Amino acid sequence: MTDRPKKRTRVTVPDFLAAKEAGRKLAVLTAYDYPWAALLDQAGVDAILVGDTLGMVVQGRDTTLPVTLDHMIYHGEMVVRATRSALVIVDLPFMSYQVSPRQAKRSAGRVLKETGASAVKLEGGVNQAGTIEALANSDIPVMAHVGMRPQSIRRLGKMSSIQRDREQLIADAKAAADAGAFSIVLELIPQDIAAQITAEIDIPTIGIGAGPNCDGQVLVTPDMLGQTHGFKPKFVKHYADLHQVATDAVRQYVDDVHTGAFPADEHTHH
Ligand code: KIV
């Protein structure tokens, strides 16, 4: 009898909440296309975030602001199709939810219907509590995002500013949790504030540059694989240098074609 691959079931929003209760850490990474999403899924991540960082790491822009809802849906659909077990969360891009809760419901509804993703993410806490509540009341699971919020770059001035206003950060996280968010990203905040938030709210906190006390961690996959051209902030660990590996391979190919070493006999039909 042949070994059949084990049927995997998809991580759900309640599984995310149960992980916090059980003290099991959640590993989250970003993906934007089919091959990477399939690899991450098979390697066992708990969730994949189709982040609007795609504006920077896929489209080569300086900020996430130009990303549109159609871009997110285009990439989200590929990621969902590639995955069997990871919970897929798709970012709502800049100005696809800030206008009103009604606009947010339209945008999030499109994301869930057209991509098959399980949840959306939006940036905000106190300022988006009404929108988070409206989405949650429409059965649209929402991940909130507080601390450094890339969509606020025009007000903040720079992408890497660490947020230290303890009262505001705690108020933001609590407002998001009270409004019905199922989870919350904490970006670039000191570890003691992240620890306090994690202890004081019931939903899982997913940190990026927020220290080890969060309920889970998220990284931008091309950052941790060394594919973002030397971008190495303190909070990123380089798990591989794929830029170097791929550059060496392509240089070898160019050389082989120029010298006639490729294709060899074994690559040739006779
Ligand atoms: O867009 C994104 O990839 C994100 C992560 C940095 C959390 O929001």
Side-chain angles (χ1 to χ4, degrees), residues 230-264:
F231 177 67
K232 173 73 183 75
K234 187 177 166 70
F235 63 86
V236 172
K237 176 171 172 184
H238 273 173
Y239 283 83
D241 187 352
L242 292 199
H243 178 77
Q244 197 55 53
V245 171
T247 304
D248 290 347
V250 173
R251 283 200 178 124
Q252 184 65 56
Y253 166 77
V254 171
D255 204 46
D256 283 358
V257 172
H258 287 168
T259 61
F262 176 82

Side-chain angles (χ1 to χ4, degrees), residues 196-247:
Q196 185 178 348
I197 292 172
T198 302
E200 291 185 6
I201 63 175
D202 290 337
I203 57 172
T205 57
I206 308 297
I208 172 162
N213 299 312
C214 299
D215 298 307
Q217 299 291 326
V218 58
L219 283 176
V220 172
T221 304
D223 286 348
M224 62 88 106
L225 295 179
Q227 293 173 293
T228 37
H229 309 284
F231 177 67
K232 173 73 183 75
K234 187 177 166 70
F235 63 86
V236 172
K237 176 171 172 184
H238 273 173
Y239 283 83
D241 187 352
L242 292 199
H243 178 77
Q244 197 55 53
V245 171
T247 304

Side-chain angles (χ1 to χ4, degrees), residues 30 32 49 51-54 64 91 121 123 145 150 185 187 208 218 220:
T30 66
Y32 315 96
L49 172 65
D52 61 357
T53 39
L54 74 84
T64 60
D91 252 339
K121 176 166 85 57
E123 295 184 11
H145 182 152
V185 167
E187 179 161 358
I208 172 162
V218 58
V220 172

Side-chain angles (χ1 to χ4, degrees), residues 39 43 51 53 64 77 79 123-124 126 132 142 151 188 224 235 254 265 269:
L39 186 152
T53 39
T64 60
E77 192 271 335
V79 169
E123 295 184 11
V126 171
I132 294 170
V142 190
Q151 291 178 13
L188 277 186
M224 62 88 106
F235 63 86
V254 171
D265 198 50
H269 295 291

